[in-house]
Amino acid sequence: MKAKYITIIDIARQLNISKSTVSRALTGHPNVNEQTRKAVLELAASQEYQRNSLALGFSRHKTHTVGILVPEFMSTYFPSVIVGAQTVLQEAGYNVVICQQNESYETEVANIKLLLSYRVDGIIVSHTKETRNFDHFTLAQRIGIPLVFFNRIPEDMNVPGVVVNDYEAAFQAVEHLIKIGRKCIAHLAGPESLVNSRLRRQGYIDALKKYNIPYNPDLVLSYDLTMEKVKIYMKHFLDLATPPDALFAINDPTAIAAMEVVKAAGLRIPEDIAIVGFSNDFSAELVYPGLTTMAQPTSDIGRTAANMLLQEMHAKVMNDYSIKKAPTVTLPTKLIIRDSTVKKEQPSLVKKRKGRI
Amino acid sequence: MKAKYITIIDIARQLNISKSTVSRALTGHPNVNEQTRKAVLELAASQEYQRNSLALGFSRHKTHTVGILVPEFMSTYFPSVIVGAQTVLQEAGYNVVICQQNESYETEVANIKLLLSYRVDGIIVSHTKETRNFDHFTLAQRIGIPLVFFNRIPEDMNVPGVVVNDYEAAFQAVEHLIKIGRKCIAHLAGPESLVNSRLRRQGYIDALKKYNIPYNPDLVLSYDLTMEKVKIYMKHFLDLATPPDALFAINDPTAIAAMEVVKAAGLRIPEDIAIVGFSNDFSAELVYPGLTTMAQPTSDIGRTAANMLLQEMHAKVMNDYSIKKAPTVTLPTKLIIRDSTVKKEQPSLVKKRKGRI
DNA sequence: CAATAAAATGGGAACGTTCCCACGAGAAAA
DNA sequence: TTTTCTCGTGGGAACGTTCCCATTTTATTG
């Protein structure tokens, strides 16, 4: 089974002109007679000519395609970053292909190699939580393919990236809990391997310090972001002699899973335990009670990363980040307060229905 | 700024052998001396050789890449279908690139052309809700690129596809509402242009018929799946002289948005209005009350579509669906009953906390 | 030791496109 | 008229790989 595509040579033959002229006509080159161009375009359209981008990229050493690599896309975070990036890139005339790793390091390496082998012009990436070895990224850099990271940025690489102010965000989240009177605040932290996790944890610690609340390491558990663990850890917190009266969770799914445990234990949110998440996932608004969370400007993150990548790709000379500092943009987060920390009065649930018994 | 890649010719030159031999060594061809192969592989590794897939696909007319086209991926449905498909395809040695259309017809056409121009070996697709003209798909077929549809399948094209039993699913969903005693069931339907919408609507109508409940067209509103509309339409339902005591929504986001309206109106779910959604999105479990919904086997849908595509791609001769019937696989759905239709007793919320005042 | 078979290698075409260079025809300038 | 310029066109190289065919080397057999 073999696909049959029309080529510019087919068109040239039919019109009795050279492939050069056909090429010029199709690419909009000025030096071509208007009648010739018209004839070529018409024939190309009627024969459904599809340019062969393989041949083009191969010959021109530019594919006008960028790859976006994300660790997963079941939460709303990554999809909406992608949509933001895609908008900018498509406007700039670039094609976008997306690869997702299922949080697997091997897939990540394979996908980087895949993109390199397809000679993409640039890559936007957030690495998996498993990634400890960054050789596949430095490889891309060595070859000269611009890379822009977001969300998760390898520490010991000097690469352009877009992040949010994780430290301040965590600080504010915890400060919010303190200001509503909580004194015993637990933290479900992310894996130590991720910078964001460590920054958020530090923000947590420093917020406690600022308000003279002693930091109790027993109230902090790092975990690997698999949902089963949350339930175990949260239960552990509830079983402490002095259980916490608030929880700051590394992200919204964690917070939501924790809420399940709390509710199942018959405790009230926020009265017994107030909960704050991170990212403002779509579901944060939907859960009961609504989840207070630090919103990330996902679309902006994507757009910013895309613009940075465009700049890198258009640079005359490859930016050599072994000698100069790579640009990093930090975007602001915003605390969204919902019922999981501060309860609004409910509309009366017993209001009479109209027109019915 | 130009990327520099090592080529097999570079390697050949350094080892003083021909590019043919290098090619053979790298591709695992039998006719090559073991020592030569070892030398080639070592040099390739140390110089970080990256095969040029453009050249390869260009020369071989096979890219071993398939494209997946989805209308959007903010809900969990499409991402998890993709993950399912990706698993199968990667196991079969195919690369996967994902394109998302933001529900835009123009983007869809552009992306199909993009994939064709990159000479992908096959395409898995669910079209946008805007798509009325399917020329870009028939184009792919004419050229000889296998296509497999899922979820949304163009009616007047005879193409392989994977769907769920939308009609029966809708029937069962409505039957469930009837069995819990509801008599006045509204339906927020999807756009008429989508087959699924029409099938689900018919399932709704026929379920009513079976139980001798008169079908009232005023209780059915088709809409374009934009969230603002839901609120308007739902409010309209509530304002009817005889407002409905149940709602069957075309999908979960619709159902959830409707729940917001119901709750804001001070009505109780499910006592005043029972609600059923469709798809069992991640959020269906998280909302309050939990949303009863027809679960779709998303991962299976993806895996099935991928397997069908593999079969198409491996067919010796292109299947000509202008003369024979294209295979369609229908997968089963499953009703997930949650509190939005049948309330479980709640754990007491006033249970005493231990170890605390 | 010659004859033959098998294994390993080299040479070159092919894939579709762009781009550079050359060339002819006609127009404009000398 | 001759020279110069511009416009439109054609020819061919280049891109990196595979694959087919030819050739050389090595091993095996009579």
Side-chain angles (χ1 to χ4, degrees):
Chain A
M1 200 218 57
K2 189 178 159 180
K4 50 176 196 310
Y5 286 95
I6 299 291
T7 73
I8 55 168
I9 297 184
D10 297 330
I11 296 179
R13 211 171 283 143
Q14 291 176 66
L15 291 177
N16 236 332
I17 54 178
S18 74
K19 61 182 163 54
S20 309
T21 305
V22 176
S23 168
R24 273 188 288 261
L26 289 172
T27 51
H29 192 94
N31 276 3
V32 62
N33 186 297
E34 263 321 304
Q35 273 151 32
T36 316
R37 160 166 291 137
K38 209 170 141 233
V40 170
L41 291 181
E42 268 171 15
L43 194 62
S46 77
Q47 310 234 330
E48 297 174 331
Y49 166 76
Q50 302 298 319
R51 108 183 307 158
N52 185 333
S53 296
L54 293 174
L56 194 162
F58 171 52
S59 141
R60 295 284 297 112
H61 292 278
K62 279 271 159 267
T63 52
H64 272 273
T65 302
V66 322
I68 302 184
L69 233 64
V70 294
E72 49 94 8
F73 55 16
M74 297 302 280
S75 68
T76 45
Y77 176 82
F78 287 109
S80 63
V81 172
I82 291 173
V83 171
Q86 202 167 9
T87 314
V88 170
L89 290 168
Q90 277 174 350
E91 239 164 59
Y94 282 84
N95 304 312
V96 173
V97 303
I98 300 152
C99 296
Q100 73 96 14
Q101 339 295 162
N102 256 330
E103 289 283 14
S104 144
Y105 168 72
E106 281 77 29
T107 309
E108 179 174 285
V109 175
N111 278 339
I112 280 278
K113 299 247 164 118
L114 171 65
L115 292 179
L116 291 182
S117 85
Y118 274 100
R119 301 296 191 261
V120 294
D121 294 346
I123 301 177
I124 293 179
V125 50
S126 183
H127 65 77
T128 77
K129 68 187 181 200
E130 287 185 346
T131 310
R132 305 273 186 288
N133 177 323
F134 298 94
D135 288 353
H136 48 304
F137 295 130
T138 56
L139 167 61
Q141 284 196 307
R142 271 197 302 282
I143 286 172
I145 301 303
L147 236 51
V148 171
F149 284 79
F150 70 97
N151 183 286
R152 303 175 182 172
I153 300 190
E155 284 168 288
D156 32 4
M157 270 179 85
N158 185 26
V159 281
V162 182
V163 289
V164 294
N165 52 349
D166 284 291
Y167 173 84
E168 287 82 8
F171 191 99
Q172 286 163 27
V174 175
E175 197 168 37
H176 168 66
L177 288 170
I178 294 171
K179 285 193 173 155
I180 61 168
R182 306 302 159 131
K183 298 239 149 40
C184 183
I185 302 170
H187 177 37
L188 271 172
E192 282 298 302
S193 58
L194 297 178
V195 196
N196 336 30
S197 305
R198 294 207 299 278
L199 286 172
R200 292 181 200 172
R201 172 204 274 245
Q202 197 56 51
Y204 159 84
I205 293 176
D206 290 358
L208 294 182
K209 196 174 295 173
K210 178 177 174 194
Y211 290 89
N212 293 317
I213 298 178
Y215 162 54
N216 176 0
D218 293 347
L219 286 178
V220 176
L221 284 172
S222 289
Y223 86 114
D224 62 356
L225 306 179
T226 58
M227 285 304 121
E228 310 83 54
K229 302 280 178 60
V230 180
K231 312 234 162 183
I232 298 170
Y233 291 158
M234 194 59 208
K235 207 159 279 165
H236 165 78
F237 281 147
L238 297 182
D239 288 346
L240 288 176
T242 320
D245 55 10
L247 170 73
F248 168 49
I250 185 73
N251 60 26
D252 285 353
T254 305
I256 291 169
M259 282 171 67
E260 294 299 314
V261 177
V262 172
K263 285 194 272 186
L267 298 173
R268 295 163 304 166
I269 303 170
E271 291 84 347
D272 298 320
I273 297 195
I275 297 185
V276 177
F278 208 106
S279 287
N280 195 25
D281 277 9
F282 183 57
S283 9
E285 202 178 346
L286 305 174
V287 289
Y288 178 78
L291 179 63
T292 295
T293 184
M294 291 299 307
Q296 300 204 45
T298 46
S299 178
D300 259 359
I301 294 173
R303 280 202 298 271
T304 309
N307 280 319
M308 286 172 74
L309 188 67
L310 286 174
Q311 226 168 343
E312 297 280 326
M313 292 190 301
H314 294 163
K316 296 280 168 298
V317 187
M318 175 81 181
N319 288 312
D320 185 353
Y321 295 127
S322 61
I323 47 172
K324 77 173 181 193
K325 180 86 189 66
T328 308
V329 174
T330 305
L331 296 173
T333 51
K334 189 166 165 253
L335 182 67
I336 310 278
I337 299 176
R338 296 204 183 88
D339 290 358
S340 74
T341 57
V342 180
K343 209 159 194 171
K344 292 188 297 285
E345 48 278 44
Q346 295 284 320
S348 160
L349 290 183
V350 285
K351 192 176 107 186
K352 189 83 176 62
R353 291 190 70 160
K354 70 174 161 189
R356 279 216 134 200
I357 322 160
Chain B
M1 202 220 56
K2 188 177 160 182
K4 52 176 195 309
Y5 286 94
I6 299 290
T7 74
I8 56 168
I9 297 184
D10 297 330
I11 295 179
R13 212 170 283 142
Q14 290 177 65
L15 291 176
N16 234 332
I17 55 179
S18 75
K19 61 183 162 51
S20 310
T21 306
V22 176
S23 168
R24 273 188 289 260
L26 288 172
T27 52
H29 192 94
N31 276 2
V32 64
N33 186 296
E34 263 321 304
Q35 273 149 32
T36 315
R37 161 165 292 140
K38 212 172 137 230
V40 169
L41 291 181
E42 269 169 15
L43 194 62
S46 77
Q47 310 234 328
E48 297 175 328
Y49 167 77
Q50 302 297 319
R51 107 178 315 152
N52 185 331
S53 295
L54 293 173
L56 193 162
F58 170 51
S59 139
R60 296 284 297 111
H61 292 278
K62 279 274 158 263
T63 53
H64 272 274
T65 302
V66 323
I68 302 184
L69 234 65
V70 294
E72 50 95 8
F73 54 17
M74 296 303 280
S75 68
T76 46
Y77 176 83
F78 287 110
S80 64
V81 171
I82 291 173
V83 171
Q86 203 168 8
T87 313
V88 170
L89 291 168
Q90 277 174 351
E91 237 163 60
Y94 282 85
N95 305 311
V96 172
V97 303
I98 301 153
C99 297
Q100 74 96 14
Q101 340 294 162
N102 256 330
E103 289 284 13
S104 145
Y105 168 73
E106 282 77 28
T107 309
E108 180 174 286
V109 175
N111 277 339
I112 280 278
K113 299 245 164 120
L114 172 65
L115 291 179
L116 290 182
S117 85
Y118 275 101
R119 301 299 192 257
V120 293
D121 294 346
I123 301 177
I124 294 178
V125 50
S126 183
H127 65 77
T128 77
K129 68 186 180 198
E130 287 186 346
T131 311
R132 305 274 187 284
N133 178 324
F134 297 93
D135 288 352
H136 48 304
F137 296 130
T138 56
L139 167 61
Q141 285 196 308
R142 272 198 302 281
I143 287 173
I145 301 302
L147 236 50
V148 171
F149 283 79
F150 71 96
N151 183 288
R152 303 175 183 173
I153 300 190
E155 283 168 287
D156 32 3
M157 269 178 85
N158 184 26
V159 281
V162 182
V163 288
V164 294
N165 52 350
D166 285 291
Y167 174 83
E168 287 82 8
F171 192 98
Q172 287 164 26
V174 175
E175 197 168 37
H176 167 67
L177 288 170
I178 296 171
K179 285 195 172 156
I180 61 168
R182 308 301 161 132
K183 299 237 150 40
C184 184
I185 302 171
H187 177 35
L188 271 173
E192 282 297 303
S193 57
L194 297 178
V195 196
N196 336 31
S197 303
R198 294 206 300 277
L199 285 172
R200 292 181 199 173
R201 171 203 274 246
Q202 197 56 49
Y204 158 85
I205 293 175
D206 290 359
L208 294 181
K209 195 175 295 171
K210 178 177 171 195
Y211 289 90
N212 294 318
I213 298 178
Y215 162 53
N216 176 359
D218 292 347
L219 287 178
V220 176
L221 284 173
S222 290
Y223 87 114
D224 62 356
L225 306 179
T226 58
M227 284 305 119
E228 310 82 57
K229 300 281 178 61
V230 179
K231 312 235 162 186
I232 299 171
Y233 291 159
M234 193 61 208
K235 206 160 282 166
H236 165 78
F237 281 147
L238 297 182
D239 287 345
L240 289 175
T242 320
D245 57 9
L247 170 73
F248 168 48
I250 183 74
N251 60 24
D252 285 353
T254 305
I256 291 170
M259 282 171 65
E260 295 297 316
V261 177
V262 172
K263 284 193 275 184
L267 298 172
R268 293 163 307 165
I269 304 170
E271 292 84 347
D272 297 320
I273 296 195
I275 296 184
V276 177
F278 208 106
S279 288
N280 195 25
D281 277 8
F282 183 57
S283 16
E285 203 179 345
L286 305 175
V287 289
Y288 178 80
L291 178 64
T292 295
T293 183
M294 292 299 306
Q296 300 205 46
T298 46
S299 176
D300 259 359
I301 294 173
R303 281 201 298 271
T304 309
N307 280 318
M308 287 171 75
L309 187 67
L310 286 174
Q311 227 167 343
E312 297 280 327
M313 292 192 299
H314 294 163
K316 296 281 167 297
V317 187
M318 176 81 183
N319 288 311
D320 184 353
Y321 294 127
S322 61
I323 49 174
K324 78 174 181 194
K325 179 86 188 66
T328 309
V329 175
T330 305
L331 296 174
T333 51
K334 189 166 166 255
L335 182 66
I336 310 279
I337 299 177
R338 296 205 182 87
D339 290 357
S340 73
T341 57
V342 180
K343 209 159 192 171
K344 292 189 296 287
E345 48 282 43
Q346 293 284 319
S348 160
L349 290 184
V350 287
K351 194 176 108 185
K352 191 85 177 61
R353 292 191 71 164
K354 70 174 158 185
R356 278 215 137 198
I357 324 160

